[in-house]
Amino acid sequence: MKLGEKIRYLREVEGSLRGLGRPMTQLELVRAMREELGTVRSEKGRADKGGSNKQKTISQSYLSQIENGARPHMTQSSRALLAKFFKVHPGFLVDDPDGYHAELTSDLRTTEGQLDVWLLQGSERFASDPEVSRVLIKAAREKDTRRALLLLGAILDTPGLADRLLEALRPELGASGTHRRASAEGRRSR
């Protein structure tokens, strides 16, 4: 996946998270970064004339160049700002190398990025089920996605724990969720 595709995808997910029902525009992204990260624009990344070291921000035209491939690489500071805003690892915001195959890689940081991308892609596949889509996005935004998934596995491996947790945290799903799954499995076995 190319850097521009990743940025477009993150804008789409962010728009969904913010309830826009559409991708966040480049201009909305720039404005949100300024508001939420408290950034100020500075020329070519230098501190402003007052001598402060506030972070710089990125422009809509810079985002456009990245997304359309005219600028294939970002500066380290721009990558850090976007990673902070989208809550992804900065290493995610680079082109995947030609011939890159996720299943052949074992580096933990790369695994973390792969899990995030996989979960974000899954959130789009399940867009018709907003609750599931939101949960997949939340999991992808976790600081340690791998650990979150391992926790889910441990919960599911412990007999009765998932039902008890669901009953305590989401009582409206407790019995009905089990009933829906059991009835669906019954229909499949016929």
Side-chain angles (χ1 to χ4, degrees), residues 123-131 133:
S123 75
E124 290 305 310
R125 287 191 187 112
F126 290 96
S128 62
D129 188 340
E131 238 180 348
S133 182

Side-chain angles (χ1 to χ4, degrees), residues 146-159 161-162:
R146 183 177 182 278
R147 183 172 173 251
L149 290 174
L150 294 175
L151 172 62
L152 175 60
I155 290 169
L156 296 174
D157 284 343
T158 306
L161 182 57

Side-chain angles (χ1 to χ4, degrees), residues 62-73:
Y62 184 82
L63 274 175
S64 179
Q65 290 172 359
I66 292 168
E67 288 188 23
N68 70 27
R71 178 181 290 268
H73 305 289

